Structure formats: structure tokens, C-alpha cells
Amino acid sequence: GQQVMQIPQYQHVQEGEDFTTYCNSSTTLSNIQWYKQRPGGHPVFLIQLVKSGEVKKQKRLTFQFGEAKKNSSLHITATQTTDVGTYFCAESIYNQGGKLIFGQGTELSVKP
Amino acid sequence: GAGVSQSPRYKVAKRGQDVALRCDPISGHVSLFWYQQALGQGPEFLTYFQNEAQLDKSGLPSDRFFAERPEGSVSTLKIQRTQQEDSAVYLCASSLYTSRNSYEQYFGPGTRLTVT
């Protein structure tokens, strides 16, 4: 079945350092969504990418969708302690109601 | 406005007991999803409703799991004869089924189920 692989599993950074998480698929993705889950919280939607090579920015966050639509990345510039949490990529399966197939997530910790 | 709510937030069940988990989606949201999240893992799809119709239950791990949404709003996930491997956080999400490109899902806080 569909599978989305996400690396790294954990990332520990000093506040102010950059952070990147990567999402890879062996098959072409129709789209990629990114969610953030704070410790003890629930996933919160960040963004959706649909087009090949698409790049979107939200303040310090930059999201990219690969040209072949088989990979995606989330980059955070100058991390802050408020960035702590687990970041998940997920594919929304349009012809199955939009159900989400999640990657395993990258847990980010930020040392002040 | 109000988000997705779930109850109870925490549930401890003895092995073999039945449990019922409730989800109140955002008003007007047509689509409702249940996911299971094990510790340190991403959420895994269980089942999907469009209004009151259960259109996909391919993720339910066994016939001990049953979900319903009889009036197209509130949904209940029932687990019969709970087993230790059922221990997880159960997340409910709803979305406004509009266009092909509008599949943002809004998640509830989840129910943490512990089976002892």
C-alpha cells in the first residue's frame, strides 16, 4: 500500500539553528500535507502542496514539493523554542475521501 | 468557533472490557475520520464517514472495532473485548468536503486508551 517515509526520526537543535525534515515516497504523490503536533497535543494542519516543484513559505517555514512529486521537505530557519513538536507529512488520498497517509514524523527539540 | 471535541480524554479499561469513544466534529463538516496513533508513531487511518455513510473501514484492525455516525454529526468508535495492543491515542478529524483541493483536516484532542 501507500507508504510515506520520513527522516530523521529525531532532531535536537540549539535555538537559532536551522532544521529540515524530509518526506519520501517510492510512488508519485498527488499532494503532500504537513502537520505539526505539539507534545501532548493533536496534529494541526500547516500547509498543502499540490504542484510539481512547488515552494511555499510561512514566516520561518519553507515547504517544498519535489519536481517528480516523490519527495517533500520542511525547513525551519532560526528555530525557536515554540517550534518544538513532531512534524508529520501526509498524503491526502483524494479518491478515498481525503484520508491521510502519514509519515512517521520528525520530533524536533530545541535547546534554549 | 468550536473545534472538534472528543470524550473521554482518557480511558483505562481492563482487558476484555468494551469501550465507546465519542467525537463531535465541527458543525457542518461532512467528512469524519478516525485514526489510531501509537506512541512515537504517525496517526494511522481507521475509518471514514461522509455524512452518515461509512465509506471506508479498511483500516479497522479487527471485527472488534466498530464505528457509527447515525445522524451525520456525532460519531462513536466502539472497541469490544479490548486487548493490550489496542492501547493508543484515538484521534477524530473532520473536514469540509468541498473541492478536490480542500482536504485540510481538523483534529480533536484525542482519547488516550490504556488497556491493563
Side-chain angles (χ1 to χ4, degrees):
Chain A
Q2 302 107 335
Q3 208 169 15
V4 179
M5 307 301 294
Q6 196 172 348
I7 55 169
Q9 189 173 1
Y10 303 98
Q11 186 79 56
H12 309 286
V13 301
Q14 194 77 32
E15 190 173 20
E17 291 181 339
D18 292 357
F19 159 78
T20 306
T21 173
Y22 301 90
C23 209
N24 296 291
S25 172
S26 58
T27 58
T28 302
L29 300 164
S30 60
N31 62 84
I32 198 81
Q33 295 186 4
W34 286 91
Y35 287 80
K36 176 183 179 181
Q37 186 171 25
R38 294 183 186 274
H42 55 276
V44 174
F45 175 82
L46 294 177
I47 208 158
Q48 177 173 269
L49 305 172
V50 177
K51 299 176 184 175
S52 169
E54 191 169 12
V55 178
K56 288 188 178 180
K57 293 191 176 186
Q58 289 179 352
K59 297 183 180 178
R60 295 178 295 104
L61 277 60
T62 302
F63 304 84
Q64 290 190 312
F65 202 9
E67 293 289 341
K69 299 182 73 172
K70 288 187 174 182
N71 57 75
S72 180
S73 65
L74 158 59
H75 179 82
I76 303 178
T77 304
T79 54
Q80 300 175 357
T81 54
T82 53
D83 296 325
V84 164
T86 301
Y87 292 85
F88 292 98
C89 60
E91 183 186 16
S92 174
I93 311 301
Y94 289 154
N95 64 1
Q96 295 179 39
K99 76 180 187 186
L100 296 172
I101 306 298
F102 281 87
Q104 300 93 328
T106 296
E107 182 179 341
L108 171 65
S109 63
V110 179
K111 190 173 181 181
Chain B
V4 178
S5 61
Q6 291 186 246
S7 60
R9 291 293 312 278
Y10 304 91
K11 177 70 179 177
V12 179
K14 289 189 191 307
R15 192 164 58 116
Q17 281 184 334
D18 298 350
V19 298
L21 313 180
R22 177 187 168 108
C23 172
D24 278 88
I26 294 173
S27 177
H29 277 197
V30 170
S31 298
L32 185 146
F33 303 83
W34 284 97
Y35 295 88
Q36 181 190 60
Q37 187 173 25
L39 194 62
Q41 301 294 317
E44 290 195 2
F45 170 79
L46 294 177
T47 187
Y48 158 63
F49 290 86
Q50 185 175 321
N51 295 308
E52 68 279 2
Q54 188 175 21
L55 298 185
D56 186 347
K57 52 182 181 179
S58 62
L60 295 176
S62 77
D63 59 8
R64 296 185 296 102
F65 287 70
F66 171 77
E68 60 183 5
R69 194 186 184 196
E71 296 178 0
S73 55
V74 171
S75 177
T76 304
L77 176 67
K78 297 179 179 178
I79 309 174
Q80 297 177 323
R81 304 180 303 281
T82 52
Q83 303 293 317
Q84 283 196 317
E85 62 263 27
D86 300 334
S87 295
V89 175
Y90 290 85
L91 293 164
C92 175
S94 69
S95 73
L96 188 59
Y97 183 83
T98 55
S99 71
R100 190 175 189 272
N101 292 319
S102 298
Y103 281 85
E104 172 182 350
Q105 293 190 17
Y106 296 82
F107 283 81
T111 295
R112 182 178 296 278
L113 174 65
T114 303
V115 181
T116 61

